[in-house]
Amino acid sequence: MAMNYNAKDEVDGGPPCPPGGTAKTRRPDNTAFKQQRLPAWQPILTAGTVLPTFFIIGLIFIPIGIGIFVTSNNIREIEGNVFMYYGLSNFYQNHRRYVKSRDDGQLNGDPTALLNPSKECEPYGRNEDKPIAPCGAIANSMFNDTLELFQVGNASDLMPVPLKKKGIAWWTDKNVKFRNPPGTDPLEERFKGTTKPVNWVKPVYMLDSDEDNNGFINEDFIVWMRTAALPTFRKLYRLIERKNDLHPTLPAGRYYLNITYNYPVHSFDGRKRMILSTISWMGGKNPFLGIAYITIGSISFLLGVVLLVINHKYRNSSNTADITI
Amino acid sequence: PAGSARPIPGGPRCLPLPHLADNRLKTTKYTLLSFLPKNLFEQFHRLANVYFVFIALLNFVPALNAFQPGLALAPVLFILAVTACKDLWEDYSRHRSDHEINHLGCLVFSREEEQYVKRFWKEIRVGDFVRLRCNETVPADILLLSSSDPDGLCHIETASLDGETNLKRRQVVRGFSELVSEFNPLTFTSIIECEKPNNNLTRFRGCIIHDNGKKAGLYKENLLLRGCTLRNTDAVVGIVIYAGHETKALLNNSGPRYKRSQLERQMNCDVLWCVLLLICMSLFSAIGKSLWRAVRSGSSSLSAIRVVSSAYLRLLIFLPVLIPISLYVSIEIVKVCQVYFINQDIQLYDEETDSQVQCRALNITEDLGQIQYIFSDKTGTLTENKMVFRRCTVSGIEYSHDANAQRLARYQEADSDEEEVVPTGGSLPRAAQQSQSSRVHRRTGGRAEARRISTLTEHTAFSSPMEKDVTPDPKLLEKVRECGRCLASARHQEHPLDHLSPELSDIFDFFIALTICNTVVVTSPDQPRQKVRVRFELKSPVKTIEDFLRRFTPSRLTLGGSSIGSASVAAKSAPKASLLSTLANDGTQLRLEERLGTGAPHLASNGYSSAADNWTAKRSTTGPEPRLELRYEAESPDEAALVHAARAYSCALVGRLHDQVSVELPHLGRLTFELLHTLGFDSIRKRMSVVIRHPLTDEINVYTKGADSAVMDLLLPCSTDDARGRHQMKIRSKTQNYLNLYAVEGLRTLCIAKRVLSKEEYACWLQSHLEAESALDNREELLFQSAIHLETNLHLLGATGIEDRLQDGVPETIAKLRHAGLQIWVLTGDKQETAVNIAHACKLLDHDEEVITLNAESQEACEALLDQCLRYMQSRSPQRTAGSLSVGFTRLCPHSEAIASGPSLVIDGRSLAYALQKNLEDKFLFLAKQCRSVLCCRSTPLQKSMVVKLVRSKLKAMTLAIGDGANDVSMIQVADVGVGISGQEGMQAVMASDFAVPKFRYLERLLIVHGHWCYSRLANMVLYFFYKNTMFVGLLFWFQFYCGFSASTMIDQWYLIFFNLLFSSLPQLVTGVLDKDVPADVLLAEPQLYQSGQNMEEYRPRTFWLNMADAAFQSLVCFFIPYLAYYDSDTDIFTWGTPVTAIALFTFLLHLGIETKTWTWLNWTACGFSVILFFTVALIYNASCATCYPPSNPYWTMQTLMGDPVFYSICLLAPVAALMPRLFFKALQGTLFPTPLQLGRQLAKRSPRKFRAPRETSAQGHILGEARTEPPGQRSISAAQFVSPDCSSRVSQGTRQPACSPEAGGEPSAVDVGMPRREGTLPVGLSSQPLRSSSPGSVAVEGCPGGSRMKPVSASQPAPLPSVFGVPGLSSLNWMSSLSLVGGLGSVLQFSRSGLPMDKRDGDFLPGSAPPDRDLCGLSGQTTDCF
């Protein structure tokens, strides 16, 4: 009957449209995307499928961890360039109002901003009706102790260790972000009409004798202006460059550190430190990363083993569970 | 009606009424000016938006200035802008379509030019005269004043209004139809009063007051509704009554609906939790800050409070990322995409009707995955609503139409064959197939394709080939031919019908009745929608008594018009006598005239024409060609089925005008019956009648067709004295038996009866009828009465059984849905027997399961019954509670067993009304809840919606209502999810629905696959959102401990604000749209997986809080690893914050990776895009400006970081460390305590090939068969897979009694099986009868122990039934005895009817004392002998 029917239909029931023509049906396109049949990877999270991941993580992380740990510990040798840091603790450079209290335009040498500091700088924007340069709480609280390092010679004579002032700030900061006010006049002229921050002893154009390290582009100043992330931090103070390959930069011996104490930390229960350190490719000495990698890698490996046991133990039963679906 | 009327004075003097709406269509919400304020106002209805704007505005408070104020507003503005753009676009497209419609043209009468001029639709005013031509669309609601049709009729098609494609007839307003000349608007001076605009399409009332003060009523038949199309009529003129937005069509158009899904409600609740969490965090930080300050500087407590409050607000600004601002937008995007994919699913596309699933509500897709209760209509939903003539009985003799049955069976086979040929799943075969020529395609497409062609090209309502080609029963066909032969030979004699035996005469009348007792319109395909009009003489239905006299007196022929007056005078003076005499004369006179006038057919006015002889001659030479030309357009599929059936017996309807029906008969040729009246079908009378004048005998006949209950009671009481009367009795009882048998088979039964009216009777009735017709007040009531007067003393001709076939795949779908843990209730207006049988057919009821039937006559009885049932349920509860409560995947076997063992509940409309009373609804619900399925018969639309409402509110369950007709609309609207079937009965259900499917079976895929996916996707996405934001806020929160709770952030504010919006949004969207936790095949093969949605397993409070805890942990890891790595270093705050952001991004992506179940290239791309976007944006941003973006000023930060190995090492370490626990526990859980979904996924993974086969055939429900025919190599897997179907079948086999096969006789077997089981639990059924006879009210009935046969004692004394029902014992009989359908029918109906007819049915119609069920057994045996 069905065949009959088709045949009959073939004869008299003409198609609604010419053959091959675009029959206007609402039939959806049969594409993989529209029918949600895109080829897909379908991971299933079971002990069996996941345990390789854990082993792989373990196998990768533990060597990385060891590598980092060793690198970090090797920093002990005072070889190569030595970095001299000052460290502060319990100093909340990341406090919201502190972080905001600066005027990047002014620091960039914008003459209008120089004389009209942003209101973010308040209450360190103006002093006695004169704009403060550099304005803001950050600049105002700049670390101003001086540290001098001397090597104690054989005859108790003090040989000053040459400390390099430049090269401690980011290149972009020194050359792009921070600029002195434009002009060819002496720096003092260019800063005319401004006053020094309240806590400073000398104005900004007297920070250093070197023209290239004075004013806003003083690198100590730039380093300070990069507000620390956490209340315990260190900041790069000086570089001790290596002289030649034969001698260590800082040979073993007695050293004398002379600190000109300007910066009080008692009020906020802070502490000051001086750190000498070399850096490796991983940065300064910090054993944490290496230990963390080793720990995570080991845990991962352990979990992998647990999963292996579970997988071995429950594979049969999970199969039977399938059967009882 | 005039009370609330608004007068519309028509006529040329009257200017258009200014206060009434013009015809301009304006569906736009906004104007150019009002867009911004209005749209914003609407958007702020969403509380979240207000909240976010509030937070953003807080930034402008100088004391707090946290972010740059503009920047903080950005995301909110972005969200608002996106939504506004969407709204704008929608509004614009609405505007465009409005514009198009407004500028359609039409002819409007211009008073200045005194002629019809072309105007735009929008310029039409109320009171305008509009002239419409054929095939024009009606521009407004128009009162029909004139038609080119001589009878003052016109035809309209309402497809765009309600989807019905058949023609409907409209009439010119009474008083205007008689105008001879063309209607002239200038002379129109009447006043029209009509009711206020309303949205009721089926009612219109009003009146027209003419100048002379005469009133005429206006009815629905006079009104052309906007949007209809004029057909079949050259031109009409009408006056605009309602225009523009006051038209009924527009008042009905309420636009899309907005619902809130359950998941969204739950989500909003969790958003509130997040707000609380946020407040706590802020408060904590604020207190911390004041402490910090106190410790550091020892400031006074007064300022501490100030600090606390400002810090509090400041934190509220910083932390709101906790409440995902993009959540709402993302959810909306995901839902739109989900809707798109549902629409695009090719397996939800129906080739026959060329339609696919429509999602009308955009925002409740995930509700589809959580449905617990399905409420389904029966006719048109479970069944096709394509009526097929199946068998009939005439004059007490059954014609079983075996060949017809076989033909139908073959169609069924052809159906499945063809579906096997056409692969529905695989992409390759389909593509290949499509590339071939359409010829091949049509061959393979088979019936479906052909049907589509038929529906597309022919526009024929309700006629597929299956319905048209009825194979006649040879015996009956022979009798019909013989009948025709006899009549042809006896045609010219005095009483042609007397030459027939009573049986043949009945057969003849039976087919005449089938052919003409309907409202089927015949059209010809050559000129679609044109009447086949061969008018013999202009005539109209009998409108006045004068008309009647004019036509039924011979004077017309002999004396001409002048005699009318005298005749009417005579009629008035002595109506009865004169009528009698004139009518008697009339008969002979006409016949005489016919005999003489064979040569002059044009004068032979009463329809019978000798031209028919020529025609038959011609026909015999040209063969059956003319038959093919005819198309039938019926208002109901039943009518079409009957007309097609009659045509199969060469008794073809060839033409219908409003006053005459032409029938082509074998040997007799074309007979034209004069159609005097049509008394339309209504649901109270449940029957329709036509009054015709028989061309052969010239008698006035009434043919009535209706439900058996309606017709059987109206038969002429026949005396038992003479042989003829006894014969009639016998015929009736036999017919009744067959009717019962048909009902048992699930056929729709109709009785056909006839009444011969004497001319005098007719005249009497006519008078009252005409009065009723012209009545102004309660016309409907009077017409109803008039119809009732006519339809009495009928002579039974026969009965028909029409099959309403189940739709394809309904039993399988129901089985699947039930397996999925859905409770299915069927709410139908059909009668109980039919409903129960359909329920059996679609496996809603099993033959071996218990059925509780509730038929109560009073409130008390209903209560007693409910109590009884509940007690019974309790008695069997111990065996139930074990399995059904815990839904474990591994315990599915016992679970399905528990489901299978639950009884089913059948309740009729009246009992339902009692059960829905306040005091009983709890009991009813408690009972229904424990039942496996519930069947409500004879329920009204209101009851349907009440049931849904009850379940929804009391059980707190997710409900879905599915239906196809107007009577389902209220139920669809009440349910959580309303599904409309775009089927045969118009579009009203679809208009009201949230989703529209072409067929019931698509519900399976819609719910089990798409519903599940949508739910699982959205649930996971919402959880992920909460996780993401909590984790991100966590990072900021931990930092507060290290920045003195100063609300400082280490993350650059740009990152902070755009992180959610840009960097991490795309992958989750892709996953939210595309992720498939379990493939469709597995979901379909294991429907119980759907229960995860019902039980809200993916997103419940526990998962939410676990998720939050994990987020807290991950944020700790992601904060402290960078913290420790950079502890005591010279890094600055934002150089440190950037790695933290990067770590967060990587963690989010990896987390999403763990949550994503399917990885397509889109997921990979999205993740890669996110990472690349972040770094690109960061690099560009950090290089763009040296001094901008205070305070972070991140110049060159990212560039520096990218040269730092520590950055990479923590970016690797932190995400891994953060996600390791999650991955571990996921793996552990996946192995040790896998959820059903995980098992399903494993299943699909292990045997990917396995599921291809079921996918292709799943629509046909062949899965079980597929499983059995697995190749032996995969045996173990197939065992694993199909345990549950096997299991359930094993269970059912265990309980089924081998002695009876369910096919054998339907009901009796069910009785046999059911009884032994039940007797143990309750004194039921027959055993309870002694109890009943001892009850005080038992005078009404007297049971004999052998069966439920009732003696008609109560016939003489209608007993006080309510008192009877006070006795619980009695009611127990009542519900239990109806377990057997037919046997029970007697006893049940005994109470519900309390009158003669029922007793007759049981007692008188059954000779001998055999109990009915046994009798039926014998009967079915007998019929099978006949086959």
Side-chain angles (χ1 to χ4, degrees), chain B residues 99 238 440 625 653 682 731 1172 1297 1392:
Chain B
H99 184 84
V440 175
E625 182 251 338
L653 177 70
D682 69 56
I731 286 177
I1172 291 170
Q1297 308 250 329
S1392 55

Side-chain angles (χ1 to χ4, degrees), chain B residues 611-630:
Chain B
D613 291 67
N614 305 334
W615 195 77
T616 29
K618 200 172 76 195
R619 180 179 164 264
S620 57
T621 55
T622 53
E625 182 251 338
R627 285 185 56 176
L628 292 174
E629 285 184 6
L630 300 175

Side-chain angles (χ1 to χ4, degrees), chain B residues 570-585 760:
Chain B
K572 273 170 196 158
S573 58
K576 285 209 171 173
S578 79
L579 270 180
L580 206 61
S581 61
T582 49
L583 290 176
N585 285 339
E760 184 188 51

